[in-house]
Amino acid sequence: MKFVWPPLIKSIDERAKKIADGLAAAERGKQALADAGRKAEQELAVSRSENQQRLAEAEKRAQQIIEEAKQQAEVERKRILAQAEAEAVNEAQRARDQLRDQLATLVVKGAEQILKKEVNAQAHADLLNQLKAEL
């Protein structure tokens, strides 16, 4: 017994120590796994929060771009309207000038015809009616 028990006890103690060390390592592994899980959840929450902020910023920027485009379109619309109005005014003035020139030509022609014929009120009235019809 003296020779068998000490190595047997030593072997049992070593085995118990290995088992205790294995259990402690397993417990540390569980704790590390739990810590890693918590850290992963925290990182995931931070990532989600950042993504939501980026999405909100992107939506805000999109709205700004839309508003800027609307403002630019409104400015362009006003510029085009002003240009069209100016062209319409110029065209109306040209038409008036052309009518005035045509009227002057017709008046001169009418005066020529009146002066070439004998003085007769009825004939003059007929010529004036013709002038009115031409206008």
Side-chain angles (χ1 to χ4, degrees), residues 118-128:
E118 63 183 64
V119 180
N120 182 347
Q122 182 60 33
H124 293 217
D126 290 339
L127 285 175
L128 289 175

Side-chain angles (χ1 to χ4, degrees), residues 10-78:
K10 184 179 177 186
S11 175
I12 290 172
D13 285 343
E14 286 176 5
R15 178 80 176 142
K17 184 179 181 209
K18 283 184 182 179
I19 290 172
D21 287 345
L23 290 173
E27 190 60 36
R28 284 191 306 270
K30 274 178 150 180
Q31 189 62 34
L33 181 61
D35 289 344
R38 283 191 295 273
K39 187 174 181 182
E41 284 297 322
Q42 288 173 349
E43 291 292 324
L44 189 57
V46 167
S47 177
R48 284 182 185 141
S49 174
E50 288 175 354
N51 284 340
Q52 287 177 347
Q53 286 177 339
R54 286 186 188 124
L55 283 174
E57 288 173 4
E59 287 177 9
K60 183 179 177 182
R61 181 64 184 139
Q63 288 299 325
Q64 287 176 340
I65 290 172
I66 289 170
E67 287 302 317
E68 289 172 2
K70 284 181 182 178
Q71 290 173 355
Q72 289 175 352
E74 182 64 22
V75 167
E76 184 68 13
R77 182 188 72 82
K78 287 180 180 177

